[in-house]
Amino acid sequence: MFQTGIRQMRMAMSMVWGRPISPRNVERLIEDALETLTTFGAPGDDVQQLLDGPFSDPKVREEFQTRALRRTAARLAGVSPYYRRLFDSCGLDPDSLTVGRMAGVPVTLKRDLVASQADFLAAGSQPYVSTRTTGTTGRPAEVWLSRYEMELWPAMAALSGLLRNEISPDDCMQVNISSRATAAVQQNLTVCRLVGARSRMLGVVPAEESLDSLLAGGDSAPTLLTTYPSYLAELVRAARRRGVGPGDFRLRRIDCGGEVLSAALSRATYETFGPRLVNDTFGMTEILPVSGRVCDHGHLHHDLNMGFVEVVDFQTGTPVGPGEMGTVVITPYYPYRECMPVFRYDTRDIVRQLPDAPLTCELAGVPATSRILGKADHMLRIGDEVVTLRDLVEVVEDLPGQPWPARFGATVDDGRVRLGLPGDVLADASASELRRRLADRGLNVDVSTVLDDRAGVMIRPLRADLLETTFAGRN
Ligand SMILES: [Zn+2]
């Protein structure tokens, strides 16, 4: 136990001083944690505190954030051609940077990353693996990661997952995300390796094949599933077609991310797969390793150990107040991000700031926002009304025909939201019912539906459609 204490202290100090963290040290912590868990069965409270960080006290939080931001900006000014230029142009002095002055630094957009990729590479770092965004907005951005990053992130995730009992050596993780999401794939496989759990990397293959895998293996069938909400929807439908239910699976958790997960789909998942917990996570290639988790109260809690999180106005880039909507802007801290770091990266993901009241959820010590409501660039505005992707997904996926994943397109035309739906989505519901359900969510929008996408309404892309072909269905 003495050794564990020393290593924990070393790790905590490197967080404060901002020196690179040795992935080997974190891996040793994992070994110690595994041993401790075998002997004592549960991690200590001090370890949990280390994981959640010192964020419930606003003053301590701001001190931590100021130090981390200065350290990160100072490094970027030294090694990143893009940010050296940007900081010069806005007169940023890293040594006097404060939380309040962050709004004076222009945000970085995906198009900047695509247009000036080489200028984002940090001098002196060794690119090792590139990973591409698989999102649904515009050209993919390519982000280079160093070996240090590829070793450190899974090690930290494995340690945290182990201590939070999110993964154990008895688990088997099935991974149904795009094989091209190299960073996420390698992260999941390495986390399993470090913990000693099994992993099945399947990709976005036909849902029937993934269902076969979830049902196969008896006592060694998958207990964890990592996927996208739209693919989860395909799995739920495949399971219902086959007539299998909770008693046929061993799943104890499903991690979902990358798309809007609706309440209707969560409910259907519980009914079909049985696990109590569908874990709605937030992550994005460009701002790795910063992530977020949704609590039981439906808030999105961002991991403030790894990065600085702001919610800013769509146009002005200045922070918005309680109850207001804005886009999530994230600055991953050094030493967690090394090779191609970003500063004030505008994810264009919309959230609403929570009302200014104390949180009472299980993650109350970590500040939170609403869940992701959609992409800013896909938001529909009719006068003062704003309709987000989540508004539409929640309503469409809750229709009696259970049309998961909801395939539709939406646009604003002549002061009305026009929804384009493939013929079978509405089933027995009518356009007036759709209007009523939107009104129940406080959206007084006039909806006209077109029963296909011919009328110039593009059906939204879903990650479940990034289907990877196999020969398994041939016989
Ligand atoms: Zn919460």
Side-chain angles (χ1 to χ4, degrees):
M1 291 311 284
F2 180 66
Q3 264 199 325
T4 306
I6 300 276
R7 287 198 197 112
Q8 275 171 358
M9 210 162 95
R10 205 180 289 156
M11 192 167 136
M13 284 195 305
S14 65
M15 283 179 185
V16 173
W17 292 344
R19 293 209 311 248
I21 299 162
S22 156
R24 293 288 96 74
N25 275 352
V26 185
E27 287 173 19
R28 268 176 227 122
L29 273 173
I30 295 169
E31 285 159 24
D32 287 348
L34 281 167
E35 219 168 282
T36 311
L37 289 176
T38 315
T39 317
F40 299 104
D45 289 345
D46 51 337
V47 178
Q48 287 285 357
Q49 260 170 25
L50 183 70
L51 290 171
D52 280 333
F55 300 120
S56 48
D57 178 341
K59 195 164 167 284
V60 177
R61 182 168 77 226
E62 190 167 333
E63 278 172 20
F64 173 91
Q65 290 175 325
T66 305
R67 263 202 314 273
L69 286 171
R70 285 182 182 176
R71 175 174 84 225
T72 304
R75 175 171 184 268
L76 287 182
V79 300
S80 165
Y82 183 87
Y83 286 107
R84 193 180 309 134
R85 252 193 337 262
L86 186 85
F87 292 170
D88 277 349
S89 73
C90 67
L92 174 82
D93 168 21
D95 293 338
S96 60
L97 182 61
T98 59
V99 167
R101 286 185 192 159
M102 280 295 275
V105 184
V107 296
T108 301
L109 291 161
K110 186 167 137 189
R111 64 164 178 265
D112 302 320
L113 209 54
V114 172
S116 318
Q117 193 197 15
D119 285 352
F120 281 89
L121 280 172
S125 63
Q126 263 313 331
Y128 175 58
V129 165
S130 92
T131 189
R132 285 178 158 233
T133 56
T134 49
T136 49
T137 47
R139 269 175 62 193
E142 188 181 42
V143 178
W144 281 97
L145 307 172
S146 64
R147 254 183 77 173
Y148 165 79
E149 289 170 318
M150 294 301 277
E151 289 173 357
L152 179 67
W153 300 345
M156 300 206 47
L159 182 61
S160 143
L162 199 55
L163 298 176
R164 292 184 211 274
N165 190 30
E166 290 170 351
I167 187 165
S168 80
D170 298 330
D171 279 311
C172 172
M173 181 191 288
Q174 177 164 317
V175 183
N176 286 123
I177 60 177
S178 169
S179 307
R180 284 174 294 134
T182 43
V185 168
Q186 121 95 25
Q187 169 100 356
N188 282 308
L189 301 193
T190 311
V191 165
C192 289
R193 174 176 66 76
L194 291 171
V195 169
R198 276 168 299 135
S199 56
R200 275 190 189 156
M201 169 61 210
L202 295 187
V204 184
V205 294
E208 293 290 342
E209 289 174 32
S210 295
L211 186 62
D212 288 343
S213 165
L214 285 175
L215 291 164
D219 286 349
S220 58
T223 51
L224 308 173
L225 172 66
T226 299
T227 190
Y228 311 117
S230 59
Y231 192 81
L232 176 63
E234 300 283 8
L235 282 176
V236 171
R237 284 163 47 130
R240 291 184 172 195
R241 276 196 302 273
R242 206 180 289 193
V244 289
D248 300 304
F249 299 101
R250 276 184 80 228
L251 286 174
R252 72 178 178 109
R253 202 182 66 254
I254 298 176
D255 287 320
C256 255
E259 291 174 326
V260 167
L261 173 70
S262 72
L265 180 59
S266 295
R267 274 199 311 274
T269 305
Y270 299 147
E271 286 163 21
T272 302
F273 289 108
R276 287 206 328 277
L277 192 59
V278 179
N279 194 19
D280 192 0
T281 62
F282 171 70
M284 192 181 206
T285 308
E286 299 93 311
I287 47 96
L288 287 169
V290 185
S291 62
R293 321 180 257 167
V294 173
C295 70
D296 284 350
H297 292 215
H299 316 130
L300 174 60
H301 294 262
H302 300 270
D303 180 358
L304 301 189
N305 281 303
M306 306 271 193
F308 186 70
V309 180
E310 301 166 83
V311 183
V312 307
D313 183 87
F314 305 109
Q315 263 91 43
T316 63
T318 52
V320 301
E324 292 179 342
M325 267 201 273
T327 86
V328 181
V329 169
I330 293 181
T331 303
Y333 294 138
Y334 182 74
Y336 303 111
R337 183 69 175 259
E338 188 209 28
C339 186
M340 207 174 140
V342 289
F343 197 90
R344 286 203 97 215
Y345 188 82
D346 188 348
T347 63
R348 302 307 282 164
D349 278 315
I350 316 170
V351 294
R352 197 180 277 285
Q353 286 284 34
L354 298 178
D356 202 4
L359 300 177
T360 55
C361 57
E362 78 275 17
L363 299 177
V366 185
T369 62
S370 79
R371 295 211 274 182
I372 302 291
L373 304 176
K375 282 281 175 193
D377 309 309
H378 295 164
M379 201 169 62
L380 306 173
R381 286 177 185 276
I382 314 104
D384 291 340
E385 291 273 358
V386 168
V387 180
T388 65
L389 180 65
R390 177 172 291 278
D391 291 323
L392 298 174
V393 174
E394 293 284 2
V395 169
V396 174
E397 292 200 339
D398 202 27
L399 285 171
Q402 306 185 329
W404 320 302
R407 290 177 201 282
F408 63 83
T411 184
V412 172
D413 187 17
D414 201 16
R416 293 152 68 102
V417 172
R418 193 153 61 143
L419 274 182
L421 309 160
D424 54 347
V425 169
L426 266 184
D428 300 331
S430 63
S432 61
E433 181 166 1
L434 206 51
R435 267 195 290 277
R436 185 184 58 71
R437 286 166 180 252
L438 284 166
D440 288 348
R441 286 181 67 87
L443 297 164
N444 295 309
V445 292
D446 199 3
V447 178
S448 69
T449 51
V450 279
L451 284 182
D452 55 37
D453 56 355
R454 270 178 305 186
V457 185
M458 285 260 284
I459 301 293
R460 70 183 181 122
L462 294 172
R463 286 193 163 120
D465 298 333
L466 294 170
L467 202 63
E468 298 167 46
T469 51
T470 77
F471 293 132
R474 267 166 47 135
N475 44 46

